[in-house]
Amino acid sequence: MRTKVHRAINTVTLDVGKPPSSRGETWKTFTILYHGFEDLSTGQDDGIESPSFFCNGEWWNLTIFPCVPCGGASEEHVSFHVFHNSEGGASATFDLGVLDNNGAVVRKSVRKEYFFDEDDGECWIIFMKRSYILDPSNNILDDNGTLKVKVQMKEERDTAFVPRNPFQRKMEGIFLDETSSDVCFEVSVVAEEEGSNDAASCDWFYAHRLILDTCAPMLAAVCGGSDKGEMAMATITDVKPGIFRHLLFYVYGGKVPKVDLKAHAKDIIDAADKYSIAGLKLEAEKAYVSSTEITIENVMDNLLYADAMNCFLLKEVAVDFIADNGEELIASDGVSFDDLPGHVVKDVLVAITRKKKEVVAEVAYDDKTGTFYAHGLSLMSVSDLRKKMFAGGFDADGSREAMIKALSGGDTESISNDEIED
């Protein structure tokens, strides 16, 4: 959970006289003040989000996690995450630093990252020891307990406004256009009252076969064909009209509102899975994960659902919870392991090993084959694997094993028992 409670200060540097020629690049600085740092929530998943700041035509924010466990060690660290808040992809160079009371940089890191879409983020998992920040002798927190963080972003020289490619807007313009369509879906849902066969709702959705054939072949197959060029008709009875509208709008390049993704996540996952709309399924899965708190009481239900629907991100979150709360789960009378699939055991071992080894996305790369070593990939998170799949031109909706195989060129080296015991 991320809450906006801290403010950003936009710092502008003014040059007097001619600056040195070596300063061929400019940076925009934002100073973020985290007031009462010691009292900020220290839950592992509790992030504190800054207000958004603007640079290079894009919106960004910085989220701090004040207390992150460091693998098996007792020392806790502070973690930072930068999030991209504008539509579409963007690249940016960041200089992130923690300042002391004299304005000196105590710890810094410079990185260039690519963000694939809105709400995509990059993290500095173990940026700085929490105890070092809290130690008064290091003079980092001021008298009010405020932590000062500086974010510098390299400004791109050519930031002239250029309109985005209008293709998506034009596609959305013919969405549900009856005049140009050649396919019609009748979507109805039977009333929930027991013994009733009357339709509670029925809606008509017009579409274009070319778009369906290209972007949603499974949905196109439902329509059949029309020999005389007449409107092809199809009836859908297993998806609610409102959910089907989201599904079809996504096929036409539209974005489902976040509030609807969260409110109807499971319905959208089920529909997208049925008709193989992989991208929408991943978006709904992400929304479900971000809006659902995994607990002792619901972890098994979520794990079984994720396994049945091939929701690998949700599955990873549930498995990580099991790895972190094994003793409580074993002691709980309300948790049954009878229906747990046997293949989930390996997922639990991977989760435990990943936490012990503190593996991040930076893994060995084989220059000769142009692929990643499976050894490093096997310990990466589902989200990091999906990013590498997308960057490599692969479909990002496969299982952990399928993604590792694709990225490593077919080498599916597994984790040995010795590695797990290290």
Side-chain angles (χ1 to χ4, degrees):
M1 180 182 298
R2 295 181 278 145
T3 55
K4 296 182 178 179
V5 296
H6 297 281
R7 62 192 179 96
I9 299 175
N10 188 351
T11 302
V12 178
T13 300
L14 303 177
D15 290 309
V16 178
K18 183 178 180 180
S21 58
S22 60
R23 290 186 57 196
E25 56 188 34
T26 58
W27 294 72
K28 196 170 186 177
T29 302
F30 304 91
T31 302
I32 302 171
L33 306 177
Y34 293 98
H35 304 292
F37 171 79
E38 186 173 5
D39 297 325
L40 295 180
S41 177
T42 56
Q44 183 174 350
D45 298 322
D46 293 336
I48 311 299
E49 179 181 340
S50 76
S52 295
F53 44 90
F54 191 77
C55 186
N56 294 331
E58 308 284 338
W59 286 99
W60 313 84
N61 70 58
L62 182 72
T63 296
I64 184 175
F65 290 81
C67 188
V68 178
C70 179
S74 59
E75 192 71 64
E76 295 170 330
H77 284 70
V78 173
S79 169
F80 290 101
H81 295 239
V82 170
F83 288 94
H84 177 233
N85 295 151
S86 298
E87 290 188 2
S91 61
T93 302
F94 298 91
D95 183 341
L96 178 66
V98 169
L99 308 180
D100 65 13
N101 280 321
N102 297 320
V105 178
V106 179
R107 170 81 166 87
K108 68 176 293 183
S109 175
V110 180
R111 285 167 54 173
K112 183 174 183 178
E113 301 290 352
Y114 184 81
F115 300 80
F116 294 101
D117 205 346
E118 184 178 5
D119 285 340
D120 194 12
E122 292 294 339
C123 63
W124 289 260
I125 296 179
I126 304 174
F127 188 82
M128 194 173 187
K129 290 182 179 180
R130 176 178 171 85
S131 60
Y132 189 88
I133 296 176
L134 295 176
D135 188 343
S137 65
N138 293 320
N139 194 34
I140 295 178
L141 301 181
D142 65 14
D143 294 339
N144 297 317
T146 298
L147 175 68
K148 183 179 293 186
V149 179
K150 180 182 69 173
V151 180
Q152 287 187 304
M153 296 185 63
K154 183 179 177 180
E155 291 191 294
E156 304 297 335
R157 293 189 177 185
D158 184 10
T159 57
F161 173 75
V162 177
R164 296 183 183 274
N165 189 318
F167 178 76
Q168 181 177 347
R169 179 169 52 83
K170 292 182 180 295
M171 284 283 288
E172 293 178 9
I174 63 171
F175 175 62
L176 301 181
D177 181 52
E178 181 178 357
T179 303
S180 61
S181 66
D182 51 10
V183 173
C184 182
F185 293 96
E186 179 187 3
V187 183
S188 60
V189 176
V190 176
E192 297 181 357
E193 290 81 2
E194 186 175 354
S196 173
N197 292 320
D198 296 330
S201 58
C202 178
D203 289 273
W204 302 85
F205 296 88
Y206 295 94
H208 305 79
R209 178 175 291 280
L210 176 62
I211 295 175
L212 297 179
D213 284 338
T214 305
C215 304
M218 291 289 289
L219 200 56
V222 177
C223 305
S226 177
D227 297 334
K228 299 181 180 180
E230 299 175 350
M231 182 80 70
M233 304 295 295
T235 301
I236 304 291
T237 59
D238 54 1
V239 178
K240 299 174 184 177
I243 301 301
F244 188 83
R245 190 184 195 283
H246 287 319
L247 190 79
L248 195 59
F249 187 56
Y250 183 88
V251 170
Y252 277 71
K255 291 185 69 68
V256 179
K258 294 180 182 179
V259 63
D260 291 336
L261 279 173
K262 290 185 177 181
H264 307 289
K266 277 194 171 182
D267 285 339
I268 294 176
I269 289 172
D270 294 344
D273 181 74
K274 180 178 179 64
Y275 294 107
S276 297
I277 314 296
L280 179 58
K281 179 181 174 182
L282 296 184
E283 287 195 22
E285 179 191 18
K286 176 185 175 182
Y288 182 79
V289 168
S290 66
S291 61
T292 302
E293 180 182 3
I294 303 297
T295 65
I296 296 290
E297 291 73 23
N298 69 21
V299 63
M300 296 306 296
D301 288 339
N302 279 294
L303 178 57
L304 293 173
Y305 175 76
D307 190 64
M309 299 302 298
N310 293 321
C311 293
F312 302 106
L313 178 62
L314 174 60
K315 183 178 179 181
E316 180 180 71
V317 171
V319 166
D320 284 348
F321 183 88
I322 292 174
D324 288 336
N325 300 275
E327 293 184 10
E328 291 84 351
L329 285 164
I330 293 173
S332 175
D333 295 332
V335 178
S336 172
F337 294 89
D338 294 341
D339 297 326
L340 187 67
H343 57 264
V344 175
V345 175
K346 179 181 177 181
D347 295 320
V348 175
L349 294 178
V350 170
I352 294 173
T353 306
R354 189 173 67 248
K355 291 176 180 296
K356 290 173 63 177
K357 291 183 176 291
E358 303 163 13
V359 175
V360 295
E362 312 304 328
V363 297
Y365 185 78
D366 189 342
D367 293 320
K368 293 182 179 179
T369 64
T371 58
F372 296 91
Y373 294 123
H375 168 74
L377 293 169
S378 63
L379 298 178
M380 289 174 59
S381 69
V382 167
S383 181
D384 285 332
L385 287 171
R386 284 177 175 173
K387 287 181 181 180
K388 290 191 178 296
M389 289 286 286
F390 182 85
F394 299 101
D395 290 333
D397 60 330
S399 67
R400 171 188 290 278
E401 291 75 15
M403 290 191 287
I404 292 172
K405 184 175 181 179
L407 289 170
S408 60
D411 177 13
T412 54
E413 176 187 349
S414 60
I415 306 171
S416 68
N417 290 332
D418 291 339
E419 290 176 307
I420 294 174
E421 293 171 358
D422 286 343

